[in-house]
Amino acid sequence: MRPRNRLVVLDAADVAAESRFWADLLEGEVVVPSWSDGRWHSVHVDGQPVVGVQLSPDHVPPTWPDPAVRQQVHLDLEVDDPRAAEAEALSKGARLLLAAHDLEAAEGFRAYADPAGHPFCLTWGEQA
């Protein structure tokens, strides 16, 4: 099977805020299908869906790295300039969870949470 599109779908109590965050960070746009009644948004980049967001009113944000509430899902975003990428992510509402590597390191990663608490990593260098 070769699906036309592949995307990660995130649960969120606030679908609009979550989808806007990912659209801003990935330089895309939010698409709200007419059938969804606002309960589903997708984020499109260059016309292709890349992230879905569905309403989950009882969503409990992960507490990673604390295992009390498991990670559930996360995205790795490979970047060329980790300092600029971190600044952009933080300015759009991300929160730093783990500064695993110095931003000046030749390779590394740092973990963040989006507005709904979903972890994601910025990665760079050989290990990305």
Side-chain angles (χ1 to χ4, degrees), residues 3-128:
R4 215 174 28 249
N5 295 304
R6 295 165 280 309
L7 64 150
V8 173
V9 179
L10 304 172
D11 288 353
D14 186 339
V15 175
E18 185 71 0
S19 58
R20 173 56 34 217
F21 170 81
W22 286 107
D24 287 349
L25 190 66
L26 300 174
E27 298 180 13
E29 65 177 326
V30 175
V31 176
V32 183
S34 58
W35 56 262
S36 76
D37 218 14
R39 300 171 61 85
W40 168 275
H41 292 184
S42 60
V43 175
H44 290 217
V45 176
D46 298 327
Q48 297 297 312
V50 295
V51 175
V53 181
Q54 66 184 10
L55 179 63
S56 178
D58 299 325
H59 173 71
V60 177
T63 56
W64 187 91
D66 177 351
V69 179
R70 299 265 180 214
Q71 175 171 265
Q72 302 166 20
V73 66
H74 84 278
L75 303 173
D76 281 352
L77 304 174
E78 183 179 347
V79 300
D80 293 323
D81 182 344
R83 184 174 296 287
E86 177 176 89
E88 182 176 354
L90 294 174
S91 75
K92 291 179 176 170
R95 149 177 79 81
L96 181 64
L97 295 177
L98 177 66
H101 298 97
D102 186 275
L103 293 171
E104 301 303 322
E107 61 181 42
F109 79 94
R110 283 190 169 193
Y112 306 82
D114 69 15
H118 299 109
F120 68 97
C121 294
L122 297 179
T123 67
W124 63 93
E126 295 275 328
Q127 65 116 43

